[in-house]
Amino acid sequence: QFGDGWAKVSGCSTRDIILHRDLADDMIDENCKVVSGVLNDPYTGESIQFTKTDSAKVQIDHVVALSDAWQKGAQQLTRAQRIQLANDPLELLATWLPKNKSFRCEYVARQIAVKQKYTLWVTQAEKDAIIQVLATCPLQPLPV
């Protein structure tokens, strides 16, 4: 329902665009593929060496899971809007497994920004959790 994989922008896949944005010291080949770099992972607080041959170390994560988006309003979006959501840089982070507590405010703010942008709703339990997290950082801005 969200397209057939990563969209292409100027010949580059969304995955490589996000890797280029989020990795430091990245190297890109002639086919617009990121072949190496360093991820300063906001989820874990660790530096992760990325190479094309070991790319499973760095995943591109949807801040709002697509199944969650579908259940909370994305089924009302057009196919083009769902593809845009699935490939939106606001919605994507190069990372893996959130455990860094200092990143939680920024992460929750990003979730809110994505849901707001695509008019997705939240359950009461999500709202309560959002309020609890953001109470620790009331000045946290929403990213654009």
Side-chain angles (χ1 to χ4, degrees), residues 106-125:
E106 185 179 334
Y107 182 78
V108 169
R110 185 175 287 265
Q111 282 186 323
I112 292 167
V114 169
K115 288 195 172 198
Q116 185 177 56
K117 181 175 181 177
Y118 292 94
T119 62
L120 306 176
W121 50 275
V122 297
T123 64
Q124 187 61 50

Side-chain angles (χ1 to χ4, degrees), residues 5 7 9 11-12 21 27-28 34 61 71 81 95 101 106 109-110 112 124-125 134:
V9 177
C12 301
R21 180 195 70 189
M27 299 290 292
I28 301 170
V34 175
D61 190 22
Q71 294 168 28
Q81 288 171 316
T95 190
K101 291 181 181 181
E106 185 179 334
R110 185 175 287 265
I112 292 167
Q124 187 61 50
L134 294 181

Side-chain angles (χ1 to χ4, degrees), residues 16 19-21 23-28 34 36-38:
D16 286 302
L19 287 170
H20 175 65
R21 180 195 70 189
L23 297 180
D25 302 322
D26 63 315
M27 299 290 292
I28 301 170
V34 175
S36 66
V38 178

